[in-house]
Amino acid sequence: MPIPETAAEPRPAGTTPSGRFAQFGLLTLALSWLPWAALGVAGVDVGTGAGQLVFGLAASGPSLAALIMWLRFRRERRRPTTITWYGIVAGLVLGAVAPVVAALVLAGGDPTVLGWHAVTVTASVGGPLAVLAYTMVAGPLAEEFGWRGWLQPRLRRRCSRTLTAVVLGTAWAVWHLPLFLLPGTGQHQTGLVSLGAAAFFVSMIPFSYVIIYATERLRGGVWAAVAAHAGFNAAGALFPAAGDLAAMIELGVMIILAAVAHALGQASNKSS
């Protein structure tokens, strides 16, 4: 008498790649969106006082979610990678290019105007170290260990660089959505229903491709992503170019950078 086949045991929840992606996404949204929603309902200005502290902790949602996932699946094997200093420097430079170019164009090509503003802003916040600390913590360190440290390498096991940039950039853009509704944020000043907001959301995709180039091709690792994000934030703070036109210029420059990174990658593939 033949022995009947037994059904395969179901995998525990969260052990498949798609399950882990879903867990990471839900954790990120819960850690960020719930506190932001509470601030919005309470009508708290996130630019000052306790609101600023709660906002900053919630902004760390992606990196905190990655930490939880690493702790839960700490037995997951990861191949050691070599991180290069030039990849990190390239990330910093690439991230700063778009806002600086936008500011320079809108300033009529006069770097003196931008220079004086940068000096004034630096002095007002307590010097270069204060600028560095703010631009590193508010965004780069709070987010990148989640987006580029945890999510990007796992997407890359299944997707091309281009598709990874599209998926990750879209998730990154959606995560920013509540900031357009919170008073005290730069996104709130831009306005959700505006050309600047549309440019901001779309720019997350080419920016993600540029970061992939710095982290993978130039082997900068997650620290190249931190540097690129910090460079973008610092350049925007020191050389501001507000308005829809500036946002469109930044988007255009970011698309050009992504196209150049793609071309260099293709040329490298052919030569190897």
Side-chain angles (χ1 to χ4, degrees), residues 4 17 43 61 94 102 104 110 113 133 142 164 167 183 190 219 236 238 240 252-253 259 262 267-268 271:
L94 290 172
L104 190 61
D110 186 356
V113 175
T164 296
V167 173
T190 300
R219 295 185 300 167
L238 297 176
V253 174
H262 180 73
S268 177
S271 61

Side-chain angles (χ1 to χ4, degrees), residues 206-255:
F207 194 12
S208 293
Y209 194 95
V210 170
I211 291 176
I212 289 174
Y213 180 78
T215 56
E216 288 189 6
R217 284 290 182 180
L218 301 180
R219 295 185 300 167
V222 68
W223 289 107
V226 170
H229 199 153
F232 186 89
N233 287 0
L238 297 176
F239 311 109
D244 290 347
L245 179 57
M248 294 303 295
I249 295 173
E250 288 182 358
L251 172 59
V253 174
M254 201 62 74
I255 291 174

